[in-house]
Amino acid sequence: MSKSLGNFYTLRDLLAKGYTPEVIRYQLAAVPYRKKLNFTFDGLKAAATSIDRLRNYKLRLETAKLADGTNEKLVARTDAATKAFNEALDDDLNTAEALAAVFEYIRDTNTAMDAGEFLAGNAPGAFEFLIHFDSVFDILKPSSTTTDGLSDADVEAKIAERNAAKKSKDFARADQVRKDLAAQGIVLEDTKEGVRWKRS
């Protein structure tokens, strides 16, 4: 590899191209340390997609209206996912297998949510698993450099302003608020349960 040939990049180069620290960290961590990493920009894009999937799952857990109760099968599924994650890391830091355990769990529990089988009592265990995962990979919270210091309260106030504009049929203003938030790294999603938002 040689920088003069254009196939060598420093961390500063990647940040200048718009890639966030967590995307770079994810791509580096996704390959077990004993294996060579085939670095590509497609790989960085795939890492960004994976992080979006993880954050969207966390957002769904935070905002979903779940029926009361606890599905014991999903309690067991959460325990199994945690065990698989820990065992993969204990196996000479096999990060690829650890991530596979996380995404299999997300797939299974998303399916359960769609079917109405994921209940309110299952959410704390899912959150605990996500927190445990993020204590190792540290990617669920967006970099502070991506939001221009906009606080959660500021975002909620803007969303309230947008909702008021929509109610008064001032759709131009509502669209402008969405665009203003997007420019500051805030993505809105209109759902049947209300507006969800996340930091991009």
Side-chain angles (χ1 to χ4, degrees), residues 63-126:
T63 59
K65 294 181 179 177
L66 304 171
D68 291 337
T70 302
N71 184 330
E72 293 301 329
K73 288 183 179 179
L74 290 175
V75 171
R77 181 67 186 89
T78 302
D79 291 342
T82 303
K83 181 181 178 183
F85 179 81
N86 290 336
E87 287 180 348
L89 294 179
D90 288 342
D91 182 20
D92 199 23
L93 207 61
N94 190 337
T95 51
E97 284 296 323
L99 287 170
V102 172
F103 281 106
E104 287 171 9
Y105 177 76
I106 288 175
R107 180 198 64 209
D108 291 347
T109 51
N110 265 328
T111 298
M113 284 188 216
D114 292 341
E117 297 170 356
F118 190 99
L119 305 177
N122 297 115

Side-chain angles (χ1 to χ4, degrees), residues 4-165:
S4 63
L5 295 176
N7 61 359
F8 178 90
Y9 298 94
T10 66
L11 180 58
R12 188 176 290 108
D13 293 333
L14 297 177
L15 294 173
K17 288 180 177 290
Y19 295 101
T20 61
E22 59 268 25
V23 167
I24 299 167
R25 183 165 57 248
Y26 183 96
Q27 188 179 18
L28 295 174
V31 177
Y33 74 97
R34 289 186 183 274
K35 295 186 178 180
K36 290 183 178 180
L37 169 67
N38 180 26
F39 175 84
T40 65
F41 286 104
D42 284 342
L44 283 174
K45 291 176 184 176
T49 298
S50 295
I51 291 174
D52 279 345
R53 185 178 172 195
L54 287 158
R55 289 177 179 169
N56 286 338
Y57 177 74
K58 179 174 179 285
L59 180 63
R60 187 176 189 186
L61 281 177
E62 291 169 340
T63 59
K65 294 181 179 177
L66 304 171
D68 291 337
T70 302
N71 184 330
E72 293 301 329
K73 288 183 179 179
L74 290 175
V75 171
R77 181 67 186 89
T78 302
D79 291 342
T82 303
K83 181 181 178 183
F85 179 81
N86 290 336
E87 287 180 348
L89 294 179
D90 288 342
D91 182 20
D92 199 23
L93 207 61
N94 190 337
T95 51
E97 284 296 323
L99 287 170
V102 172
F103 281 106
E104 287 171 9
Y105 177 76
I106 288 175
R107 180 198 64 209
D108 291 347
T109 51
N110 265 328
T111 298
M113 284 188 216
D114 292 341
E117 297 170 356
F118 190 99
L119 305 177
N122 297 115
F127 274 119
E128 187 176 336
F129 180 49
L130 280 185
I131 291 169
H132 180 53
F133 153 77
D134 208 43
S135 71
V136 177
F137 287 88
D138 191 25
I139 59 169
L140 290 180
K141 184 178 179 181
S143 301
S144 59
T145 55
T146 65
T147 62
D148 293 334
L150 201 63
S151 71
D152 288 0
D154 291 334
V155 175
E156 294 292 349
K158 285 290 186 182
I159 290 173
E161 179 185 346
R162 177 174 176 262
N163 289 341

